[in-house]
Amino acid sequence: MDKEKIEGMRFEEALGLLAEAVEQLEEGELSLDEALALFEHGQRLAVHCQAQLESASLRVEQLTAEGEIVVVGED
């Protein structure tokens, strides 16, 4: 799967594909080349998921009922 398709992917879809990749790698039935290609694909999916989580976190930090900027998790 190419980079552009991953970038347009919803978080849930990317996370599901990442879980499938991990499962296939854990089974240990792939050739070395197949395993490396799947690992690299999984890395791209993980980066995509992390970016979406960071973006969502920033949005949550900036939204409150009063319009204040609040950092989630700080006391």
Side-chain angles (χ1 to χ4, degrees):
M1 182 170 287
D2 58 45
K3 216 178 200 181
E4 293 78 34
K5 288 185 181 181
I6 290 176
E7 289 176 2
M9 205 177 279
R10 291 181 41 235
F11 175 80
E12 295 81 5
E13 182 182 1
L15 188 61
L17 290 173
L18 180 56
E20 288 176 18
V22 169
E23 187 176 313
Q24 287 180 345
L25 288 168
E26 287 177 342
E27 288 174 0
E29 296 178 12
L30 300 172
S31 70
L32 179 58
D33 287 339
E34 290 170 328
L36 287 172
L38 188 56
F39 178 81
E40 290 170 352
H41 180 65
Q43 286 292 105
R44 289 191 297 274
L45 288 166
V47 167
H48 176 71
C49 288
Q50 183 63 35
Q52 287 191 329
L53 287 173
E54 288 174 6
S55 176
S57 177
L58 288 174
R59 288 174 58 197
V60 168
E61 289 173 2
Q62 294 175 352
L63 299 174
T64 67
E66 296 81 27
E68 300 171 0
I69 295 178
V70 176
V71 177
V72 176
E74 288 189 358
D75 295 321

